[in-house]
Structures are given as C-alpha cells and as structure tokens.
C-alpha cells in the first residue's frame, strides 16, 4: 500500500524570499542606525532614478502604470549609490502598495535652488542648491494620523507579511545623513507625493581650488567632543 502522506517541504523560493527580505531589512536598519558603511560618489540623480525605475518595472502589478518624467535638468549628487537606489525603491514600494487596482506612479527629478526667504517657514529646510527626486501616486493616500507617524521606524499600515515598516524611516535616515530632507504630502483618497532633497554636487572651480591649496596654512588649536553610544560609529 502506498502512503499518501507527504512530509512538509520548505520551498527554495521561500528560503530565497526570506533571505532577501532579511537582507533588505538589515540594510535598512543599518542605514537608519548610521552603522552601514557608505561609499559616496558623484552620481546623476536622474540616472540613478531611471535605472531604479527600469529594474522595478519587472515587479509592477498589472493595472499600475509606472513612468519617469524626462530630465529637464541633470543634477549631480555625491552619495552612496546603493543607499540612493534603495531609498527610491522604497518610495516605489510604498506608492505601488497604496494603489488598489488601477493607478499611476510618476517619478520626477530635477534641480532646485532655495533662498533663505523660501526656507524660513520650514525648520527642516536650508538654503542652497539641491537635486530632488519626487514619487507621486494616485493611491489611497494617508489620514492625518497616519501621515504624522509615517516616518517612524517599524510603523506600518500593511498587513502581516507584506513588506516592512522601515521604508520611509530608512529613506528619512539616508536623506538627512546626506544633508537633505524629505517632504511628504498626502490626502486620503487622492494619493501621496514624496520628495527627497539632496545637496547638489557642484563642481569646484579648478583655479580657485589651486589658489586655496597654495594659500599659507594657519595653525589651528581646537578641541572636538564626539558623543556616540555605538562604539563602531564612534571609532569612525
């Protein structure tokens, strides 16, 4: 007689998915906690966004239209490529998750110069030259209560097993470490818009740099106090 009982088997796809989710979560935690080693390099904001969108299209569900606006201004930034790409991907994850059925997700990049009067009303902003990337969706939007907590670590409105509540908080962590900030606007039933501002990497005039290098050095005596609870970060 042949037994019809079968032993429970763990799917290799399940193992691969669990490992991928764990790796993403650890990377996000390390980014948020400032313990992940970053390698800043000169990058085109639009180039990174376009490449991320191109890769992400493979996982977009039917009914969701994902597009990126043509670049009118090509700004460069000096950040870690993996961290920037992960931040944009997290915004795409949130945008797609917010759409129930059919909807649109649009990505836009560009440059913006902010003056002191323009930033006076927002304590998170600073005057200067910035590159930005915006992700807009036509999803369900957020209530005022959810909007107030959206960037808190592990806060999520998603059901168990669907992504993690570290998306916006890790985006916030990366952007603030890069010297920028995040603008978040949402209205229930109308969608959400998230914009990351990162200081623009403006090329230094070669003659000015040479003059500065040849200037006589002035001895400076100073003390620096470093306060950090994490030993590895303190050593850095």
């Amino acid at each position: 007689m042949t037994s019809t009982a079968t032993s429970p088997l763990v799917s290799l796809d399940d193992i691969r998915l669990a490992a991928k989710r764990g790796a993403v979560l650890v990377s996000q935690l390390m980014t948020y906690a400032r313990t992940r080693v970053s390698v800043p390099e000169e990058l085109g904001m639009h180039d990174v966004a376009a490449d991320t969108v191109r890769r992400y299209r493979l996982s977009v569900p039917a009914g969701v239209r994902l597009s990126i606006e043509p670049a009118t201004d090509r700004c460069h930034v000096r950040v870690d490529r993996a961290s920037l790409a992960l931040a944009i991907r997290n915004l795409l994850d949130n945008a797609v998750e917010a759409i129930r059925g059919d909807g649109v997700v649009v990505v836009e990049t560009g440059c913006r110069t902010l003056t002191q009067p323009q930033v006076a009303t927002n304590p998170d902003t600073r005057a200067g030259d910035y590159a930005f990337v915006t992700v807009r969706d036509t999803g369900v939007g957020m209530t005022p209560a959810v909007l107030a907590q959206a960037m808190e670590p592990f806060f999520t409105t998603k059901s168990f097993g669907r992504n993690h509540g570290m998306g916006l908080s890790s985006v916030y962590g990366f952007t603030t470490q890069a010297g920028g900030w995040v603008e978040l606007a949402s209205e229930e039933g109308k969608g959400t818009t998230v914009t990351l501002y990162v200081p623009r990497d403006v090329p230094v005039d070669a003659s000015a740099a040479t003059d500065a290098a040849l200037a006589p050095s002035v001895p400076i005596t100073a003390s620096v106090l470093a306060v950090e609870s994490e030993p590895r970060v303190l050593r850095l």
Side-chain angles (χ1 to χ4, degrees):
M1 186 173 78
T2 303
S3 172
T4 57
T6 58
S7 300
L9 298 177
V10 178
S11 166
L12 289 177
D13 289 336
D14 290 339
I15 295 174
R16 187 180 297 109
L17 178 60
K20 182 179 178 180
R21 286 179 173 174
V24 170
L25 180 59
V26 169
S27 177
Q28 292 173 339
L29 283 168
M30 294 177 71
T31 298
Y32 188 80
R34 297 173 299 156
T35 58
R36 181 183 180 277
V37 177
S38 63
V39 183
E41 57 180 303
E42 184 182 348
L43 303 169
M45 177 69 89
H46 185 82
D47 295 336
V48 176
D51 183 62
T52 305
V53 169
R54 178 180 60 82
R55 295 172 185 272
Y56 195 84
R57 277 202 175 98
L58 300 175
S59 60
V60 173
V64 177
R65 287 181 292 143
L66 172 62
S67 64
I68 181 168
E69 298 287 347
T72 55
D73 297 310
R74 290 189 174 273
C75 299
H76 285 74
V77 294
R78 185 167 293 277
V79 296
D80 178 70
R81 177 184 291 272
S83 296
L84 176 58
L86 179 61
I88 297 172
R89 184 179 178 87
N90 281 334
L91 295 184
L92 293 175
D93 279 339
N94 287 345
V96 171
E97 284 279 343
I99 295 175
R100 306 290 187 262
D102 296 342
V104 177
V105 177
V106 178
V107 179
E108 180 186 1
T109 63
C111 311
R112 191 164 295 166
T113 298
L114 301 178
T115 62
Q116 195 58 46
Q118 289 176 308
V119 302
T121 58
N122 189 339
D124 292 332
T125 61
R126 290 167 296 281
D129 296 322
Y130 294 91
F132 70 87
V133 55
T134 296
V135 177
R136 299 191 303 271
D137 68 70
T138 58
V140 296
M142 304 181 194
T143 64
V146 171
L147 186 61
Q149 295 180 273
M151 294 191 191
E152 294 180 4
F154 297 108
F155 174 78
T156 183
T157 58
K158 299 167 187 172
S159 58
F160 178 77
R162 299 188 67 186
N163 287 342
H164 309 283
M166 281 295 294
L168 281 178
S169 60
S170 64
V171 168
Y172 176 82
F174 156 74
T175 310
T176 54
Q177 289 173 45
W181 68 91
V182 180
E183 286 186 355
L184 176 61
S186 185
E187 187 174 347
E188 193 172 10
K190 294 187 177 181
T192 300
T193 299
V194 188
T195 302
L196 312 186
Y197 285 93
V198 178
R200 186 177 178 182
D201 186 40
V202 180
V204 178
D205 182 72
S207 60
T210 301
D211 292 342
L214 295 177
S217 59
V218 179
I220 299 176
T221 302
S223 298
V224 177
L225 174 63
V227 180
E228 174 58 58
S229 60
E230 173 56 51
R232 289 173 296 176
V233 179
L234 183 61
R235 284 197 295 271
L236 290 174

